[in-house]
Amino acid sequence: MLAPVRSFLALLLWVVALTSPVYAQATTTPTLDLTVSTIVVAADATRRERVAATMLLEEVQRRSLVRWTIADRASTGAAIHVGRLAALRRGPLAGRLNGPAPGAEGYRISTAPGSIVVAGADERGVLFGVGRLLRSLEMSRTRVVLPAPLDVTETPVVAVRGHQLGYRPKTNSYDAWDAPQWEQYIRDLAVFGTNAIELIPPRSDDAADSPHFPRPQMEMMVEMSRLADKYGLDVWVWYPALDDDYTTEANIGKAVAEWEGVLKQLPRLDAIFVPGGDPGHTEPSAMFGLLARQTANIRTFHPTMTMWMSPQGFTAQWMETFYGLMAKQPVWLTGIVIGPQNRDSLATVRQRIPPQYKLRRYPDITHTIRAEYPVPLWDVAYARTLDREPINPRPLDQAAAFQRWLSVSPDFLTYSEGCNDDVNKIVWSALGWNPKADVREALRQYARYFVGPAYAEPLSTGILALEENWRGPLAANIGVERTLAAFQAMERTAEPRDLLNWRFQQTLYRAYYDAYVRRRLIGEQAAQVQAMSALANVSGLGSMAAMAEAERMLASAAQPVAADLRTRVFQLAEALYQSVRMQLSVPLYRAIAVGRGANLDLIDAPLNDRVWLSEQFAAIRALPNERDRVTALTRIARWTDPGPGGFYDDLGAPDAQPHLVAPPAFRQDPGPYHSGLTGFGSLPNWRLSWMSHAEAFYDGALQMTYTALDPTARYTVRVVYAGDIYSQNVRLRLTADETHEVHGPMAKPSPVAPVEFAIPPAATADGRLTLTWRPNQGLGGAGRGNQVAEVWLIKETDPK
């Protein structure tokens, strides 16, 4: 059953609870040695209470040589009592369990010399209480201790705390997992307070099969539903409406039968979430008609199932239709989901739909670019190599995204494409339990529980350092080298079992990969500076000699650097395939696509303009005379030079866009609703400066401002409209001072090339200028397309 939505009440109780300490530690209680212990479970304990006790037993065994037992009474050594609070209060432990009881899914843990009590408010509370104890233990090879007293009563604040686990080809690891791997991962998430998972049916926008599948999709979907039910977790299904037409009775009947054939097989189903787009693009009225029928039918075999949908990808017109349909208050609908590709923010949706409908978030925690929460101010070198779906621990960014809409919609199930976002899942689960949780402490628990007590400080600090690796211009970020050194120090002292741990391997992979990319970037950019110097001297060298010298410089930088780092990256990629089936390469590990986490295939991608220059040189060599060749090479050498009195901005490069009206900091506005962002898109033969861009979303404007212009001069603006290749159908309009049209709606030039437009003199007559780009209004889909890569404002020297 879905946990009742208690968002407002839970938040209120949480605020009240802040007046009481979470921990009440008795200073007289010593460290509790649990090496010899018995887990005491009542003879009449429920099946799920016994599952929780078994999880405690097995997870200790997994991390040590210590062997506990389960019994219905205490024996030799310490006693760890596990059960529901109401039952434990009826026995001899009642005196230790006085006071206010925890709320739904909560627990009380009490320690005393020789014993621990884990008392859950309900079955889930027992499970989460065991998880809390596991996260607090220090488990070494031959010893298990509780290092400090643990006397705590806790209740989760957020009612729905879940993650999408899609067994499908379009993932970077999930499609290769067998049932034991899935059970372990579901356990891991439950230890940190996750209470729901979201499955994906066999038919989605994926290929029909994966070479990695150990079992058929339908069979595994049934098994994952059973596993979730075993631990008492909610089962959601993300079910896209993929057919072209749902307006006829025949088509609706066919869809109802198809969904029934899948969902009727699931042992447990609590909710269905149907996205409005990506995939599926059904007009809202037809969507509502389909879902009303689906809900009525599915409730004949899953009577408590709730139906949710999202307006994902809707245009402005479809959004108004959607709001009109919501105003009619359909009784079959439980709530609305908001995540990537929604024109309207959670706050807007909350205001415009009737209050009885719940809201749930679907935050994208798995992608770095073309994402709901892209990495702010990411360096283009990372985008070029790590691409969209790398191993991406972003604890502080994720905390900012979590907090942004907490007061509007606390409930969430995250959007995930694999184990690359493992840290991010844990951060969301920890904050869902307690929004005031210390993210650093959550990372300590992550490192201690998943890798070992010796790693609590260094690995948690290292994870934060990996996030800092991605802050700002890479070449200047010397912290990348410090991060590598810290991970190498951990690696040198690691035990063999630590080196086999996939979570440790992931962090090592990133530390080595980041450092290798930085060293390549520095070398290749230095070579490009030398190549440009040769081209700048074209008048002295001659065009053919200048190009030959430039090519020699660029070729020298294409040679491998830091070969030891590169080799270690490949070793770790192999280790990750063996340990957790991460598919970091298409040819080596049969990843579905390079952009789906296979960044090993991009590790040597050019980090300067040598590919673009090679094409330019070929065209220039074909020119008929030396003068034209010299002119063309001079233009390349002076690419960023706007001339006297002019200005140049490389949009998308944080340190080279002084005239861009900057958006708020990521942590003030992590989504695209109120600000522009740095975006990325590329073709192999583009300049590096075209591979990043400034962008605004949906109807948003992109603006640049200039001051101290010559009011008597005429100006020309030169623009490169690049952007990602998925947004080429957008038409852009450029105005000066929001009044004078510089150019009307136009498509982006293809192939990409600079275009020039005259600025109306009236716009600069006061010595100031604001340039504003807007797309065609009412966009749906991802809302991308208002993307500008380079801008020159050129002061005309010829008065004519």
Side-chain angles (χ1 to χ4, degrees):
M1 296 286 292
L2 278 174
V5 171
R6 52 185 185 274
S7 302
F8 175 76
L9 178 60
L11 287 169
L12 180 61
L13 292 174
W14 164 58
V15 172
V16 173
L18 291 179
T19 62
S20 301
V22 172
Y23 295 94
Q25 297 182 356
T27 57
T28 59
T29 304
T31 296
L32 188 54
D33 191 330
L34 301 173
T35 305
V36 178
S37 295
T38 301
I39 302 171
V40 182
V41 181
D44 61 350
T46 68
R47 174 176 59 88
R48 291 196 182 115
E49 288 177 77
R50 293 187 177 279
V51 166
T54 300
M55 179 177 81
L56 176 58
L57 176 83
E58 293 179 350
E59 293 306 315
V60 170
Q61 290 181 178
R62 189 181 304 278
R63 291 162 175 78
S64 71
L65 300 179
V66 171
R67 295 297 178 260
W68 291 352
T69 59
I70 297 177
D72 59 4
R73 65 190 64 190
S75 182
T76 306
I80 303 173
H81 301 270
V82 173
R84 283 169 294 150
L85 179 63
L88 291 169
R89 274 181 168 172
R90 293 194 294 267
L93 297 169
R96 292 172 59 181
L97 298 172
N98 292 327
E105 301 187 12
Y107 51 79
R108 177 174 296 176
I109 300 177
S110 171
T111 56
S115 74
I116 298 175
V117 181
V118 179
D122 44 35
E123 289 181 327
R124 281 189 182 171
V126 175
L127 179 73
F128 298 141
V130 164
R132 180 67 169 86
L133 176 60
L134 282 167
R135 298 186 338 248
S136 303
L137 297 178
E138 291 189 354
M139 294 173 272
S140 61
R141 182 176 172 81
T142 59
R143 193 165 181 252
V144 177
V145 301
L146 183 64
L150 184 61
D151 293 283
V152 59
T153 299
E154 294 185 337
T155 299
V157 172
V158 175
V160 181
R161 310 175 303 281
H163 306 284
Q164 187 179 85
L165 304 178
Y167 181 73
R168 59 172 179 162
K170 194 188 296 180
T171 63
N172 54 54
S173 49
Y174 290 159
D175 56 334
W177 288 6
D178 56 15
Q181 178 78 60
W182 278 118
E183 179 164 14
Q184 184 61 53
Y185 201 61
I186 289 168
R187 265 192 187 184
D188 290 349
L189 295 176
V191 164
F192 281 82
T194 296
N195 69 354
I197 65 170
E198 189 165 70
L199 309 180
I200 294 177
R203 185 187 176 208
S204 65
D205 58 338
D206 278 82
D209 192 18
S210 164
H212 300 283
F213 279 163
R215 296 167 71 169
Q217 279 182 284
M218 189 67 244
E219 184 178 309
M220 188 65 83
M221 188 182 187
V222 171
E223 178 64 11
M224 292 172 71
S225 173
R226 185 193 67 79
L227 287 170
D229 187 58
K230 174 181 176 179
Y231 292 89
L233 307 186
D234 287 345
V235 174
W236 289 61
V237 172
W238 175 89
Y239 214 127
L242 294 172
D243 294 339
D244 294 332
D245 175 53
Y246 291 107
T247 61
T248 68
E249 179 59 31
N251 288 348
I252 293 174
K254 178 183 175 184
V256 167
E258 177 193 332
W259 290 27
E260 177 178 336
V262 171
L263 300 174
K264 202 170 186 177
Q265 298 183 57
L266 301 185
R268 178 169 184 154
L269 176 63
D270 296 279
I272 295 175
F273 158 37
V274 182
D278 192 27
H281 299 281
T282 300
E283 189 275 332
S285 297
M287 175 72 85
F288 273 55
L290 169 69
L291 298 189
R293 289 281 298 278
Q294 294 283 17
T295 303
N297 184 62
I298 295 166
R299 284 179 179 163
T300 64
F301 48 90
H302 288 297
T304 60
M305 182 276 306
T306 59
M307 180 64 75
W308 302 62
M309 63 87 64
S310 77
Q312 182 172 344
F314 284 7
T315 63
Q317 180 181 352
W318 278 19
M319 284 301 298
E320 291 307 312
T321 302
F322 163 74
Y323 290 130
L325 293 165
M326 292 298 296
K328 297 178 181 179
Q329 303 186 26
V331 296
W332 52 267
L333 183 64
T334 300
I336 299 299
V337 177
I338 299 295
Q341 300 189 13
N342 281 275
R343 282 183 53 88
D344 291 349
S345 70
L346 273 158
T348 299
V349 174
R350 179 72 281 171
Q351 291 169 359
R352 296 202 59 182
I353 65 174
Q356 70 267 32
Y357 294 103
K358 304 169 187 176
L359 280 182
R360 192 210 97 185
R361 297 181 66 183
Y362 181 46
D364 178 0
I365 66 169
T366 204
H367 296 125
T368 54
I369 59 177
R370 300 191 302 279
E372 184 180 16
Y373 301 116
V375 179
L377 306 179
W378 216 27
D379 194 287
V380 68
Y382 280 138
R384 186 81 180 90
T385 53
L386 286 167
D387 204 70
R388 187 171 185 243
E389 210 168 274
I391 296 164
N392 67 341
R394 298 173 58 196
L396 299 183
D397 282 353
Q398 296 301 322
F402 172 89
Q403 298 290 350
R404 178 64 181 88
W405 300 108
L406 177 63
S407 62
V408 179
S409 175
D411 296 343
F412 66 86
L413 277 101
T414 67
Y415 168 27
S416 170
E417 296 282 16
C419 63
N420 65 302
D421 54 29
D422 184 64
V423 168
N424 302 337
K425 291 189 187 80
I426 298 305
V427 169
W428 276 82
S429 292
L431 292 173
W433 190 275
N434 176 10
K436 289 291 186 180
D438 180 356
V439 172
R440 294 171 189 269
E441 176 56 25
L443 295 177
R444 290 186 194 101
Q445 293 182 11
Y446 177 93
R448 178 169 56 242
Y449 179 66
F450 288 128
V451 185
Y455 293 88
E457 287 300 329
L459 183 56
S460 62
T461 301
I463 290 170
L464 290 166
L466 289 176
E467 186 172 26
E468 289 301 312
N469 277 7
W470 287 0
R471 304 291 193 209
L474 175 56
N477 188 353
I478 60 174
V480 172
E481 296 295 337
R482 289 195 295 266
T483 301
L484 174 63
F487 275 98
Q488 288 175 323
M490 284 184 268
E491 189 178 21
R492 284 191 296 270
T493 60
E495 296 292 335
R497 65 181 296 160
D498 305 334
L499 296 172
L500 294 172
N501 186 306
W502 67 265
R503 288 180 167 97
F504 188 42
Q505 290 167 352
Q506 282 192 335
T507 56
L508 288 172
Y509 180 90
R510 265 286 315 284
Y512 277 97
Y513 197 114
D514 291 1
Y516 178 67
V517 170
R518 180 174 183 267
R519 294 187 194 183
R520 283 188 54 235
L521 175 66
I522 291 170
E524 294 192 18
Q525 287 296 309
Q528 179 150 320
V529 169
Q530 293 178 314
M532 291 302 102
S533 295
L535 298 185
N537 193 29
V538 62
S539 297
L541 293 173
S543 63
M544 296 303 183
M547 286 187 282
E549 178 65 9
E551 287 171 332
R552 187 179 69 81
M553 296 296 182
L554 294 169
S556 67
Q559 302 304 311
V561 299
D564 57 330
L565 301 186
R566 186 178 186 276
T567 297
R568 188 63 180 135
V569 171
F570 274 78
Q571 291 171 343
L572 288 163
E574 175 65 23
L576 280 162
Y577 182 71
Q578 296 297 333
S579 61
V580 75
R581 296 296 183 264
M582 281 205 81
Q583 299 139 35
L584 291 161
S585 168
V586 174
L588 294 179
Y589 306 115
R590 300 288 297 276
I592 194 169
V594 171
R596 293 291 174 179
N599 46 64
L600 192 66
D601 297 341
L602 297 173
I603 192 168
D604 295 317
L607 300 179
N608 58 23
D609 295 328
R610 63 179 181 268
V611 176
W612 179 80
L613 286 167
S614 177
E615 291 189 355
Q616 300 302 306
F617 290 166
I620 291 169
R621 285 187 172 104
L623 293 175
N625 59 68
E626 178 69 0
R627 185 179 64 180
D628 290 347
R629 290 192 292 271
V630 168
T631 299
L633 291 174
T634 301
R635 185 180 302 116
I636 292 173
R638 298 178 180 175
W639 185 267
T640 62
D641 181 5
F647 306 92
Y648 169 79
D649 288 75
D650 182 357
L651 302 187
D655 56 344
Q657 49 189 24
H659 299 95
L660 179 69
V661 177
F666 178 88
R667 293 173 190 176
Q668 278 73 56
D669 183 29
Y673 295 110
H674 304 294
S675 64
L677 296 168
T678 299
F680 301 92
S682 65
L683 291 175
N685 61 343
W686 282 8
R687 287 178 54 89
L688 218 59
S689 59
W690 297 352
M691 295 182 183
S692 63
H693 53 260
E695 64 182 337
F697 292 82
Y698 296 106
D699 299 343
L702 195 64
Q703 289 191 316
M704 299 180 70
T705 59
Y706 300 85
T707 59
L709 302 182
D710 182 349
T712 65
R714 291 180 176 270
Y715 289 87
T716 295
V717 62
R718 180 187 299 156
V719 186
V720 172
Y721 292 121
D724 65 72
I725 61 175
Y726 305 101
S727 306
Q728 298 304 305
N729 59 339
V730 172
R731 300 177 67 82
L732 296 179
R733 178 173 181 257
L734 174 59
T735 60
D737 296 341
E738 297 270 26
T739 302
H740 311 281
E741 184 169 272
V742 178
H743 70 69
M746 61 172 281
K748 299 176 184 179
S750 182
V752 172
V755 288
E756 294 189 0
F757 307 94
I759 299 294
T764 56
D766 60 353
R768 304 173 64 87
L769 173 66
T770 297
L771 296 176
T772 303
W773 287 267
R774 294 186 188 276
N776 40 302
Q777 302 294 280
L779 288 174
R784 294 194 301 269
N786 191 358
Q787 301 162 328
V788 182
E790 293 182 286
V791 177
W792 297 256
L793 186 65
I794 301 168
K795 181 180 180 182
E796 299 297 332
T797 57
D798 185 347
K800 296 181 181 180

Short mmCIF file of all heavy atoms in Angstrom, two decimals, residues 163-194:
data_model
loop_
_atom_site.label_atom_id
_atom_site.label_comp_id
_atom_site.label_asym_id
_atom_site.label_seq_id
_atom_site.Cartn_x
_atom_site.Cartn_y
_atom_site.Cartn_z
N HIS A 163 13.05 5.25 -5.78
CA HIS A 163 13.97 5.36 -6.92
C HIS A 163 13.51 4.42 -8.03
O HIS A 163 13.04 3.30 -7.77
CB HIS A 163 15.39 4.99 -6.49
CG HIS A 163 15.87 5.78 -5.31
ND1 HIS A 163 16.26 7.09 -5.41
CD2 HIS A 163 15.98 5.45 -3.99
CE1 HIS A 163 16.60 7.53 -4.21
NE2 HIS A 163 16.43 6.55 -3.33
N GLN A 164 13.66 4.87 -9.25
CA GLN A 164 13.31 4.06 -10.41
C GLN A 164 14.44 3.05 -10.67
O GLN A 164 15.61 3.42 -10.73
CB GLN A 164 13.13 4.96 -11.64
CG GLN A 164 12.60 4.23 -12.86
CD GLN A 164 12.41 5.18 -14.03
OE1 GLN A 164 13.36 5.45 -14.77
NE2 GLN A 164 11.21 5.71 -14.20
N LEU A 165 14.05 1.78 -10.81
CA LEU A 165 15.00 0.71 -11.07
C LEU A 165 14.53 -0.02 -12.32
O LEU A 165 13.75 -0.96 -12.25
CB LEU A 165 15.08 -0.25 -9.88
CG LEU A 165 15.43 0.37 -8.52
CD1 LEU A 165 15.43 -0.70 -7.43
CD2 LEU A 165 16.79 1.07 -8.56
N GLY A 166 15.00 0.43 -13.46
CA GLY A 166 14.48 -0.07 -14.73
C GLY A 166 15.34 -1.19 -15.31
O GLY A 166 16.48 -0.95 -15.72
N TYR A 167 14.79 -2.38 -15.33
CA TYR A 167 15.46 -3.51 -15.99
C TYR A 167 15.14 -3.43 -17.47
O TYR A 167 14.13 -3.95 -17.95
CB TYR A 167 14.94 -4.81 -15.37
CG TYR A 167 15.55 -6.09 -15.92
CD1 TYR A 167 16.85 -6.47 -15.61
CD2 TYR A 167 14.80 -6.94 -16.72
CE1 TYR A 167 17.40 -7.65 -16.09
CE2 TYR A 167 15.33 -8.13 -17.21
CZ TYR A 167 16.63 -8.47 -16.90
OH TYR A 167 17.16 -9.65 -17.38
N ARG A 168 15.98 -2.71 -18.20
CA ARG A 168 15.75 -2.47 -19.62
C ARG A 168 17.08 -2.20 -20.30
O ARG A 168 18.06 -1.87 -19.63
CB ARG A 168 14.79 -1.30 -19.81
CG ARG A 168 15.27 0.03 -19.21
CD ARG A 168 14.34 1.15 -19.62
NE ARG A 168 14.72 2.44 -19.07
CZ ARG A 168 14.28 3.60 -19.56
NH1 ARG A 168 13.48 3.61 -20.61
NH2 ARG A 168 14.64 4.75 -19.02
N PRO A 169 17.13 -2.30 -21.63
CA PRO A 169 18.42 -2.13 -22.33
C PRO A 169 19.04 -0.75 -22.16
O PRO A 169 20.26 -0.63 -22.12
CB PRO A 169 18.05 -2.39 -23.80
CG PRO A 169 16.85 -3.28 -23.73
CD PRO A 169 16.07 -2.79 -22.54
N LYS A 170 18.20 0.29 -22.05
CA LYS A 170 18.73 1.66 -22.04
C LYS A 170 19.22 2.06 -20.65
O LYS A 170 18.80 3.06 -20.07
CB LYS A 170 17.66 2.63 -22.52
CG LYS A 170 18.19 4.02 -22.87
CD LYS A 170 17.06 4.98 -23.15
CE LYS A 170 16.25 4.59 -24.37
NZ LYS A 170 15.15 5.53 -24.63
N THR A 171 20.11 1.27 -20.09
CA THR A 171 20.73 1.59 -18.81
C THR A 171 22.20 1.25 -18.90
O THR A 171 22.64 0.57 -19.82
CB THR A 171 20.09 0.80 -17.65
OG1 THR A 171 20.33 -0.60 -17.87
CG2 THR A 171 18.59 1.04 -17.55
N ASN A 172 22.96 1.73 -17.92
CA ASN A 172 24.40 1.50 -17.96
C ASN A 172 24.84 0.32 -17.10
O ASN A 172 26.03 0.06 -16.98
CB ASN A 172 25.15 2.77 -17.55
CG ASN A 172 24.70 3.30 -16.21
OD1 ASN A 172 24.69 2.59 -15.21
ND2 ASN A 172 24.30 4.58 -16.17
N SER A 173 23.87 -0.40 -16.50
CA SER A 173 24.23 -1.54 -15.66
C SER A 173 23.03 -2.42 -15.33
O SER A 173 23.16 -3.65 -15.27
CB SER A 173 24.88 -1.06 -14.35
OG SER A 173 24.11 -0.06 -13.73
N TYR A 174 21.88 -1.83 -15.09
CA TYR A 174 20.72 -2.56 -14.59
C TYR A 174 20.35 -3.77 -15.44
O TYR A 174 19.87 -4.78 -14.93
CB TYR A 174 19.50 -1.65 -14.50
CG TYR A 174 19.51 -0.57 -13.46
CD1 TYR A 174 18.68 0.54 -13.60
CD2 TYR A 174 20.31 -0.65 -12.32
CE1 TYR A 174 18.64 1.54 -12.64
CE2 TYR A 174 20.29 0.35 -11.37
CZ TYR A 174 19.45 1.45 -11.53
OH TYR A 174 19.41 2.44 -10.58
N ASP A 175 20.52 -3.66 -16.76
CA ASP A 175 20.06 -4.74 -17.63
C ASP A 175 20.85 -6.03 -17.46
O ASP A 175 20.42 -7.09 -17.94
CB ASP A 175 20.08 -4.30 -19.10
CG ASP A 175 21.45 -3.82 -19.57
OD1 ASP A 175 22.24 -3.36 -18.73
OD2 ASP A 175 21.73 -3.91 -20.77
N ALA A 176 22.00 -5.97 -16.77
CA ALA A 176 22.82 -7.17 -16.59
C ALA A 176 22.66 -7.78 -15.20
O ALA A 176 23.31 -8.78 -14.89
CB ALA A 176 24.29 -6.83 -16.83
N TRP A 177 21.81 -7.19 -14.37
CA TRP A 177 21.70 -7.68 -13.01
C TRP A 177 20.77 -8.87 -12.93
O TRP A 177 19.67 -8.87 -13.52
CB TRP A 177 21.20 -6.58 -12.08
CG TRP A 177 22.23 -5.52 -11.81
CD1 TRP A 177 23.47 -5.40 -12.38
CD2 TRP A 177 22.10 -4.42 -10.91
NE1 TRP A 177 24.12 -4.31 -11.88
CE2 TRP A 177 23.31 -3.67 -10.99
CE3 TRP A 177 21.10 -3.98 -10.06
CZ2 TRP A 177 23.52 -2.53 -10.22
CZ3 TRP A 177 21.31 -2.85 -9.31
CH2 TRP A 177 22.52 -2.12 -9.39
N ASP A 178 21.17 -9.87 -12.15
CA ASP A 178 20.29 -11.00 -11.89
C ASP A 178 19.51 -10.74 -10.59
O ASP A 178 19.69 -9.71 -9.93
CB ASP A 178 21.10 -12.30 -11.81
CG ASP A 178 22.20 -12.25 -10.76
OD1 ASP A 178 22.19 -11.34 -9.90
OD2 ASP A 178 23.09 -13.12 -10.79
N ALA A 179 18.64 -11.68 -10.23
CA ALA A 179 17.76 -11.46 -9.08
C ALA A 179 18.53 -11.24 -7.78
O ALA A 179 18.17 -10.34 -7.00
CB ALA A 179 16.78 -12.62 -8.95
N PRO A 180 19.60 -12.01 -7.47
CA PRO A 180 20.34 -11.72 -6.23
C PRO A 180 20.94 -10.32 -6.20
O PRO A 180 20.96 -9.67 -5.14
CB PRO A 180 21.44 -12.80 -6.23
CG PRO A 180 20.86 -13.93 -7.02
CD PRO A 180 20.05 -13.27 -8.10
N GLN A 181 21.41 -9.83 -7.36
CA GLN A 181 21.95 -8.46 -7.40
C GLN A 181 20.85 -7.45 -7.12
O GLN A 181 21.04 -6.48 -6.38
CB GLN A 181 22.57 -8.19 -8.77
CG GLN A 181 23.13 -6.77 -8.93
CD GLN A 181 24.48 -6.58 -8.26
OE1 GLN A 181 25.42 -7.25 -8.59
NE2 GLN A 181 24.54 -5.67 -7.29
N TRP A 182 19.67 -7.68 -7.70
CA TRP A 182 18.55 -6.78 -7.44
C TRP A 182 18.14 -6.80 -5.98
O TRP A 182 17.86 -5.76 -5.38
CB TRP A 182 17.36 -7.13 -8.32
CG TRP A 182 17.45 -6.58 -9.71
CD1 TRP A 182 17.48 -7.28 -10.88
CD2 TRP A 182 17.51 -5.19 -10.07
NE1 TRP A 182 17.57 -6.41 -11.95
CE2 TRP A 182 17.59 -5.13 -11.48
CE3 TRP A 182 17.52 -4.01 -9.34
CZ2 TRP A 182 17.67 -3.92 -12.17
CZ3 TRP A 182 17.61 -2.80 -10.03
CH2 TRP A 182 17.69 -2.78 -11.43
N GLU A 183 18.10 -7.98 -5.38
CA GLU A 183 17.73 -8.03 -3.97
C GLU A 183 18.73 -7.28 -3.11
O GLU A 183 18.36 -6.55 -2.18
CB GLU A 183 17.59 -9.47 -3.48
CG GLU A 183 17.22 -9.55 -2.01
CD GLU A 183 16.71 -10.89 -1.54
OE1 GLU A 183 16.87 -11.88 -2.29
OE2 GLU A 183 16.15 -10.97 -0.43
N GLN A 184 20.01 -7.44 -3.43
CA GLN A 184 21.03 -6.73 -2.65
C GLN A 184 20.86 -5.23 -2.79
O GLN A 184 20.98 -4.49 -1.80
CB GLN A 184 22.42 -7.15 -3.10
CG GLN A 184 23.54 -6.54 -2.26
CD GLN A 184 23.45 -6.95 -0.80
OE1 GLN A 184 23.38 -8.13 -0.48
NE2 GLN A 184 23.43 -5.97 0.10
N TYR A 185 20.59 -4.76 -4.01
CA TYR A 185 20.47 -3.31 -4.20
C TYR A 185 19.22 -2.77 -3.53
O TYR A 185 19.25 -1.67 -2.93
CB TYR A 185 20.47 -2.98 -5.70
CG TYR A 185 20.86 -1.54 -5.98
CD1 TYR A 185 22.12 -1.07 -5.60
CD2 TYR A 185 20.00 -0.66 -6.61
CE1 TYR A 185 22.49 0.24 -5.85
CE2 TYR A 185 20.37 0.64 -6.87
CZ TYR A 185 21.61 1.10 -6.49
OH TYR A 185 21.99 2.40 -6.72
N ILE A 186 18.14 -3.51 -3.61
CA ILE A 186 16.92 -3.08 -2.92
C ILE A 186 17.17 -3.03 -1.42
O ILE A 186 16.73 -2.10 -0.73
CB ILE A 186 15.76 -4.03 -3.28
CG1 ILE A 186 15.34 -3.79 -4.74
CG2 ILE A 186 14.56 -3.83 -2.34
CD1 ILE A 186 14.40 -4.85 -5.30
N ARG A 187 17.88 -4.00 -0.89
CA ARG A 187 18.27 -3.96 0.52
C ARG A 187 19.10 -2.72 0.82
O ARG A 187 18.89 -2.03 1.82
CB ARG A 187 19.12 -5.19 0.85
CG ARG A 187 18.42 -6.35 1.44
CD ARG A 187 19.47 -7.33 1.96
NE ARG A 187 18.85 -8.56 2.41
CZ ARG A 187 19.52 -9.55 2.97
NH1 ARG A 187 20.83 -9.45 3.13
NH2 ARG A 187 18.90 -10.65 3.36
N ASP A 188 20.11 -2.47 -0.02
CA ASP A 188 20.99 -1.33 0.21
C ASP A 188 20.19 -0.03 0.31
O ASP A 188 20.47 0.83 1.16
CB ASP A 188 22.01 -1.22 -0.91
CG ASP A 188 23.04 -2.34 -0.90
OD1 ASP A 188 23.09 -3.09 0.09
OD2 ASP A 188 23.78 -2.46 -1.90
N LEU A 189 19.23 0.12 -0.58
CA LEU A 189 18.41 1.33 -0.56
C LEU A 189 17.53 1.38 0.69
O LEU A 189 17.36 2.44 1.31
CB LEU A 189 17.54 1.39 -1.81
CG LEU A 189 18.29 1.53 -3.14
CD1 LEU A 189 17.33 1.48 -4.32
CD2 LEU A 189 19.11 2.82 -3.19
N ALA A 190 17.00 0.24 1.10
CA ALA A 190 16.15 0.19 2.29
C ALA A 190 16.94 0.55 3.54
O ALA A 190 16.40 1.18 4.47
CB ALA A 190 15.51 -1.19 2.43
N VAL A 191 18.19 0.16 3.60
CA VAL A 191 19.03 0.48 4.75
C VAL A 191 19.09 1.99 4.97
O VAL A 191 19.19 2.47 6.10
CB VAL A 191 20.43 -0.13 4.58
CG1 VAL A 191 21.45 0.49 5.54
CG2 VAL A 191 20.37 -1.64 4.78
N PHE A 192 19.01 2.75 3.88
CA PHE A 192 19.05 4.21 3.99
C PHE A 192 17.66 4.84 3.93
O PHE A 192 17.53 6.04 3.71
CB PHE A 192 19.97 4.78 2.90
CG PHE A 192 21.42 4.68 3.25
CD1 PHE A 192 22.12 3.50 3.05
CD2 PHE A 192 22.10 5.75 3.83
CE1 PHE A 192 23.46 3.38 3.39
CE2 PHE A 192 23.45 5.64 4.17
CZ PHE A 192 24.13 4.45 3.96
N GLY A 193 16.61 4.04 4.11
CA GLY A 193 15.28 4.60 4.29
C GLY A 193 14.40 4.66 3.06
O GLY A 193 13.30 5.23 3.11
N THR A 194 14.81 4.06 1.96
CA THR A 194 13.96 4.02 0.76
C THR A 194 12.74 3.15 1.03
O THR A 194 12.86 2.05 1.56
CB THR A 194 14.76 3.46 -0.43
OG1 THR A 194 15.84 4.35 -0.72
CG2 THR A 194 13.88 3.29 -1.66
#
